Amino acid sequence: CDFVRLPHPRHGGPALFLCPPTIERKPGDVKDDSARVVLYEVQAQLPLGGFGQTWFVNDIVEPNEELLVVTPFDVTFLALRQVATHAKKEMFVSPEDIIMGATKTRGGGSSEWPGWRVAMAQCPALTPVVEEMRSHTVLSRLCDVKSVGGDHYYRFSEERMGQWLREKVQRVANSSALRAILQLGPPPPTNTATTSIRGVHGGNDKTTALPTNAAIVDVPLPVAFGVVAEYVVEEM
C-alpha cells in the first residue's frame, strides 16, 4: 500500500490518500462495489470533546491523540475537479486529454499540482486510480459524450454533474452506515399487541402479534448535502 498526497477535490490543497494493493479481479467482482474501490481517503480524528491522550483499539492502547480513519473514496470527485478546471472544458476531448491535460491555474494550491501524468510516474500505485478516472463510467457522470468511430470524447456538462450530485446526495441520505453513526436507527419495540382468535372449541385464544417494523429514518438532507458538498469544486 502507498500513502500519497493528492489535491483535495474541493479546494485543491494537499490531502492524504491511500492506494490499496492491486488485487486481480474475478468475473463475479464486477457486481461487488468493494471490488471497484481504487483509493481510500485518510483523515485524522480527535477524540470526542477534543481532548484525549489515548485510544483503545480492541485490546491495544494507542498513545496518539489522533486516530487515522481510512474510508473508501469515490474518484469521481477527483475527476470532477480535473474536468471542471480543464483548460479545454468547452471542447470535446479524449479521456487521456481530459484527465492528463492541463488545467486552468486557480487558487487553493492547484498551481503546485504537477498533474496526473507526473503523479502516476512518481507513484505507480496511482495507475488504477487514473484508469478509473478515465473510464467511461466515471466521465459519463460528468460530461456530455460524443462517439466517433467507436471512440468516446467528453465535454464537461453542468447538467450531468448536477444529476450525478443529486443522486449522490440521495444515496448518502439512504446510507445505513451513516444512519448508524448518527444513531438514527429505529427504536426497539416496547409494546406488543394481543389479538383474539377463535379457539378450537369455540373459545377465544389470545396470541401476541409480532411487532411491526418501525419506519427507517433517513439521514437529514442538510447533513447528506454537507457530506457531498465537502468534495465539490469550490471555484465553480
Side-chain angles (χ1 to χ4, degrees), residues 136-191:
H136 178 74
T137 299
V138 168
L139 291 178
S140 61
R141 296 168 180 165
L142 310 171
C143 302
D144 293 324
V145 183
K146 179 183 289 186
S147 298
V148 179
D151 295 326
H152 296 309
Y153 297 87
Y154 302 89
R155 180 182 64 189
F156 176 58
S157 168
E158 291 188 358
E159 181 179 355
R160 282 184 173 271
M161 176 201 67
Q163 179 181 353
W164 175 72
L165 288 175
R166 287 190 294 271
E167 293 172 354
K168 193 74 171 178
V169 169
Q170 191 58 52
R171 285 197 296 271
V172 172
N174 296 331
S175 169
S176 58
L178 189 53
R179 282 201 302 267
I181 293 174
L182 299 176
Q183 299 182 349
L184 295 177
T190 55
N191 297 321

